[in-house]
Amino acid sequence: MEMNIVKKSFAMGKHTITLETGRIARQAHGAVLASMDDTQVLVTVVASKKTEPGQDFFPLSVDYVEKTYATGKIPGGFLKREARATEKETLTCRLIDRPIRPLFPAGFVNEVQVIITVISANSEVDPDIIAMLGVSAALSISGIPFNGPIGGARVGYTDGQYTLNPTYSELKKSDLDMVVAGTDEAVLMVESEASELSEEVMLGAVMYAHEQFQVAITNIAEFAAEVGTEQWDWQAPATNEALSSDIQSQFGAQINDAYQIKEKMDRYAKVSEIKATAIETLASEDGNSADEVSKYFKKVEKSTVRERILRNEPRIDGRDNETVRELMIETGVLAN
């Protein structure tokens, strides 16, 4: 069988990034062998064309796995199999999940599985950034609805200068370890550790990263265009604007009033009471179902809370937006 291999390389700071597809895992919807110098990760993306009836959440799973053979080691002794995910693997899963999750369109609830396997590791290069770029590329060539690509970069700060994607050795001398991810227009995720740096330096690091990873976004988009995968013929489900409007007009004020109640259980009881009335009023056998009324009631409820925050109104417990909740601690509670 003839393999249609597409390969693209570009420079990102002092590192060379290479993206390749068509050689490995060809049955996945999107598969990319991504390399940063000689650290290599295999990213596969698979999605279901069907959705479960009545499903109201997006089942996205991101798994990052570091194989010991990536550094030329095979587990020895009694336990020959690799065990559960390490803390590093779990945190890297989250690092990648956070910027990609909001870029799937609203209403898309098909199951999506993203698996990143570190298959060759340089002891100086952290695989998390190339894993993130590999996921961005794999999703971009998968045909799955995705409003990417994204870029990502790690930023260090040494002797008053920002460094792009520093090595493990360089990070030991750095006052900053920040990972930033986002699209060409916006920053979606920031994760950092810093040694008492000013807000100005921290904000500068975010802007520096966003500027530096634009080259990755551009090249991933060109890579996807060269692969030329046909996009899924997916349409967002129709929204019941009439029902949403009815709930807002008839019960919006009551929901807003309920969220003035400071006592949590009393507030929950009041909201449940309003919801039951809404279902009784708007649900019928030949019209809206109880589940549908409940679903749109939740949307109006969420919108009500969000709008209060945007208008800088006090929190539910009366605090303003700059006051933290009262903290309390007790010692000697447990006998042993």
Side-chain angles (χ1 to χ4, degrees), residues 246-318:
D246 286 345
I247 294 172
Q248 181 64 59
S249 61
Q250 296 182 44
F251 302 98
Q254 295 179 51
I255 294 171
N256 189 57
D257 290 344
Y259 273 92
Q260 312 298 316
I261 302 172
K262 294 182 180 181
E263 184 60 42
K264 182 181 287 187
M265 299 315 295
D266 292 344
R267 183 172 66 252
Y268 283 178
K270 186 62 176 176
V271 170
S272 296
E273 180 185 319
I274 300 168
K275 182 177 177 181
T277 305
I279 292 172
E280 185 179 341
T281 305
L282 299 172
S284 61
E285 290 184 7
D286 56 350
N288 304 309
S289 68
D291 285 345
E292 192 171 16
V293 174
S294 178
K295 170 184 169 184
Y296 280 90
F297 184 91
K298 191 70 179 176
K299 289 178 182 286
V300 172
E301 191 181 343
K302 181 179 179 182
S303 175
T304 301
V305 176
R306 185 174 185 273
E307 289 300 321
R308 285 177 54 80
I309 294 169
L310 294 176
R311 290 195 299 266
N312 284 324
E313 294 185 14
R315 296 170 187 256
I316 297 168
D317 61 5

Side-chain angles (χ1 to χ4, degrees), residues 153 155 162 164 176 178 180 185-187 190 199-214:
V155 180
Y162 295 119
L164 180 64
L176 175 67
M178 175 183 286
V180 182
E185 296 180 343
V187 171
V190 178
E199 287 187 17
E200 183 181 2
V201 171
M202 296 296 285
L203 180 59
V206 175
M207 303 308 292
Y208 173 78
H210 188 253
E211 177 187 334
Q212 294 298 317
F213 66 55
Q214 295 304 313

